[in-house]
Amino acid sequence: MKKILLVIPAYNEEANILKTYNSILEYNKEHNTSFDVIVINDGSKDNTEMILNNNNIPHITLIHNLGIGGAVQTGYKYAYQNDYDIAIQFDGDGQHDINYACKIIEPLLNGKSNMSIGSRFVDDTSSEFKSTKARQMGIKLISSFIKFFTGKKVYDVTSGFRAIDKSLIDRFSKEYPLEYPEPISTTEILKDGFVISEVPVSMNERTGGVSSIRSWKNVYYMLNVLLSIVIIGLRRTK
């Protein structure tokens, strides 16, 4: 039996975190699965910590806000220290659907890939919610840069619904990008010969709270991601 952990980064998710956690408990009960959960409370300033404590939700509280990269790496460190076979990054804001978890881990269980990404763009029926047109264009641009430097096409390069195997849990627990972690880590591991699969999923719009990505940051975000991909692409493989 594989040990599987859901890593849930949470920053000011008082409106969503309990519902997200309860959806996982219900899924485990209905499907006879045993997904474990660790919520990384990334220095929330709202009532997230109180909700986690009052409902006995397993969590680690960070004193300062580290951002998505630092929060997720904390979860990977926990997964590594507790000998998990698979870790699934899963948003605490209600955008990810737990019903796709088993599909996402299937390529890892079959030994076909080291990472599996829940993708909105891998086919035309994946997800009704695909983000704004501007962001979709940005995702396509990032995807084209990754393909140019690695030779591999990844469609949903910013998806935070991802599963990794034990080899990547080991790697990411020690070294993980603090900024732009999804596209940067994807580029790095493709350059180093790891295999990535994409699985079509449906995602939901956020029902409460505020996204960590602000519109005014989009141009800055795009330029820095693309520059980082170029730098990684020009490195020699390990």
Side-chain angles (χ1 to χ4, degrees):
M1 179 71 70
K2 297 286 187 180
K3 288 183 65 178
I4 301 170
L5 177 69
L6 288 163
V7 175
I8 306 179
Y11 177 67
N12 292 345
E13 293 292 356
E14 63 180 9
N16 304 301
I17 194 62
L18 180 58
K19 182 165 59 176
T20 298
Y21 180 66
N22 284 338
S23 73
I24 297 166
L25 295 184
E26 188 65 25
Y27 183 87
N28 276 337
K29 182 178 178 182
E30 291 181 358
H31 295 83
N32 197 31
T33 52
S34 54
F35 295 138
D36 290 337
V37 171
I38 189 69
V39 175
I40 311 301
N41 179 15
D42 190 20
S44 296
K45 298 178 181 178
D46 64 356
N47 292 316
T48 297
E49 178 71 13
M50 182 183 72
I51 293 169
L52 294 171
N53 286 327
N54 289 349
N55 293 278
N56 297 314
I57 300 174
H59 66 281
I60 297 170
T61 297
L62 303 178
I63 298 174
H64 300 289
N65 177 259
L66 297 182
I68 185 65
V72 172
Q73 186 182 31
T74 300
Y76 291 149
K77 287 179 180 290
Y78 178 89
Y80 176 76
Q81 291 167 0
N82 290 277
D83 199 31
Y84 280 93
D85 298 294
I86 293 173
I88 306 172
Q89 182 181 340
F90 191 83
D91 282 357
D93 60 11
Q95 289 189 319
H96 296 163
D97 187 341
I98 188 61
N99 289 290
Y100 288 99
C102 283
K103 289 185 178 180
I104 285 179
I105 65 174
E106 188 173 336
L108 278 63
L109 295 173
N110 293 338
K112 294 180 178 178
S113 62
N114 306 104
M115 174 188 285
S116 179
I117 300 173
S119 175
R120 294 162 289 181
F121 310 118
V122 73
D123 63 32
D124 292 333
T125 60
S126 299
S127 179
E128 292 183 6
F129 173 64
K130 295 179 183 290
S131 193
T132 64
K133 292 294 184 182
R135 193 167 294 175
Q136 286 185 54
M137 290 177 61
I139 289 170
K140 288 180 180 179
L141 182 58
I142 295 171
S143 176
S144 67
F145 265 60
I146 292 176
K147 187 174 190 300
F148 179 81
F149 285 105
T150 69
K152 305 294 182 181
K153 181 72 173 179
V154 178
Y155 291 90
D156 204 345
V157 293
T158 64
S159 173
F161 196 2
R162 316 195 300 173
I164 59 173
D165 67 6
K166 204 160 192 171
S167 65
L168 286 180
I169 291 174
D170 185 353
R171 175 179 173 132
F172 288 165
S173 70
K174 299 177 175 66
E175 183 179 355
Y176 194 68
L178 294 180
E179 291 190 291
Y180 328 118
E182 287 87 6
I184 299 308
S185 62
T186 295
T187 307
E188 288 176 339
I189 66 172
L190 285 174
K191 281 283 291 182
D192 289 341
F194 291 90
V195 179
I196 295 177
S197 298
E198 285 188 271
V199 176
V201 300
S202 179
M203 293 189 188
N204 307 308
E205 291 194 65
R206 170 185 281 272
T207 57
V210 180
S211 172
S212 60
I213 299 178
R214 305 289 193 272
S215 59
W216 65 268
K217 288 184 177 179
N218 284 348
V219 174
Y220 175 84
Y221 173 92
M222 184 62 57
L223 291 174
N224 278 274
V225 170
L226 296 179
L227 179 59
S228 297
I229 290 170
V230 171
I231 292 171
I232 295 166
L234 294 176
R235 290 178 188 166
R236 293 183 179 180
T237 56
K238 294 180 180 180

